[in-house]
Amino acid sequence: MRFLIQERMILPQILQKNSLQDYKYDGTTAASKCLVLSEDILTAVKDQDFDRYKYIVQVFMVEKTGQSIHIASRWVWDAARDNWVSALHETENYVSVALIIAGYYE
């Protein structure tokens, strides 16, 4: 699947480009940082010009406080055409997870 292979390479580049390594987690600015990241990811995916796909991009950012987090999604799925890819960026202060879901439409 071409989508899966190319997006696995794009996601870490975007997460690094947005200076997440130097970012210090702050609950008041994390939401806007996630919004900027998701817009950058969506733009990069659309630039790949995959025909007949719609995209959902989710970015989660969680401060490390010794607790765990579980993220789950449920979709109506076409196993032959739909796809997803995720990337994780972790620092000593927080964890960021980016998820792209590509749904084929006719």
Side-chain angles (χ1 to χ4, degrees), residues 24-48:
K24 298 294 183 199
Y25 183 86
D26 178 12
T28 58
T29 62
S32 61
K33 188 68 169 176
C34 288
L35 181 62
V36 168
L37 284 169
S38 63
E39 288 173 352
D40 289 350
I41 292 168
L42 184 59
T43 300
V45 170
K46 286 183 175 181
D47 287 346
Q48 298 298 311

Side-chain angles (χ1 to χ4, degrees), residues 79-92:
R81 297 181 186 155
D82 297 342
N83 209 337
W84 66 276
V85 64
S86 66
L88 174 77
H89 179 81
E90 187 171 357
T91 68
E92 61 185 41

Side-chain angles (χ1 to χ4, degrees), residues 25 34 59-73 88-90 93-98:
Y25 183 86
C34 288
V59 177
F60 303 94
M61 193 175 286
V62 181
E63 184 176 20
K64 287 185 176 178
T65 58
Q67 299 173 349
S68 65
I69 185 170
H70 298 277
I71 300 170
S73 298
L88 174 77
H89 179 81
E90 187 171 357
N93 299 322
Y94 69 93
V95 176
S96 180
V97 178

